[in-house]
Amino acid sequence: MVFYGSWDSFIKAAADIYAATPEKARYTVKYRNCDGMLVLKVTDDATCAQIRTERLDDIKKVASLYRMLAQSASHRSQEIRELPPVFPESKKDEREAKAAKRSGLSNTASTK
């Protein structure tokens, strides 16, 4: 486990770990109240990067790290949503959907 001395080098190492193995990468945050120390850890089981800080100014940096990791994770999930369905809809499902739509339209027309 490597403790980084500067925030910029930690961010670079964390981004590299996450880019190399996004499906295995994870991060943890620990606050030690007795020391007043915040410890951040990013790992993929093979590589581990950590940083310790006592400064409150680093909270904004932690938030930007979370935002960066969340954006890259959500970008991947959008790509997954755009893939074609594994099980295509059957003709029966399509007919039922059309019938339900037509019956819903006729019900609203009769109530007016």
Side-chain angles (χ1 to χ4, degrees):
M1 288 190 254
V2 178
F3 279 97
Y4 286 86
S6 73
W7 186 261
D8 294 331
S9 60
F10 173 74
I11 291 289
K12 185 179 182 323
D16 290 343
I17 290 171
Y18 196 80
T21 54
E23 55 280 337
K24 285 187 172 184
R26 62 189 183 278
Y27 59 91
T28 60
V29 178
K30 292 182 185 177
Y31 178 71
R32 295 179 42 105
N33 194 26
C34 60
D35 298 336
M37 188 173 297
L38 185 69
V39 179
L40 282 87
K41 175 180 171 182
V42 178
T43 184
D44 65 354
D45 293 331
T47 310
C48 181
Q50 292 184 335
I51 191 167
R52 290 184 242 186
T53 184
E54 296 175 349
R55 296 178 20 199
L56 291 175
D57 298 340
D58 290 337
I59 298 295
K60 289 183 182 179
K61 294 177 184 177
V62 172
S64 69
L65 173 67
Y66 283 163
R67 194 175 321 117
M68 178 187 71
L69 295 176
Q71 283 175 348
S72 56
S74 66
H75 179 66
R76 271 198 316 278
S77 64
Q78 286 176 352
E79 291 174 324
I80 291 170
R81 277 189 241 125
E82 293 174 2
L83 294 175
V86 175
F87 301 105
E89 279 190 36
S90 66
K91 296 292 182 186
K92 182 180 176 184
D93 292 339
E94 291 175 10
R95 285 193 301 263
E96 289 174 358
K98 287 181 182 177
K101 191 174 182 180
R102 275 185 272 155
S103 67
L105 291 176
S106 64
N107 288 342
T108 59
S110 62
T111 59
K112 290 183 180 178

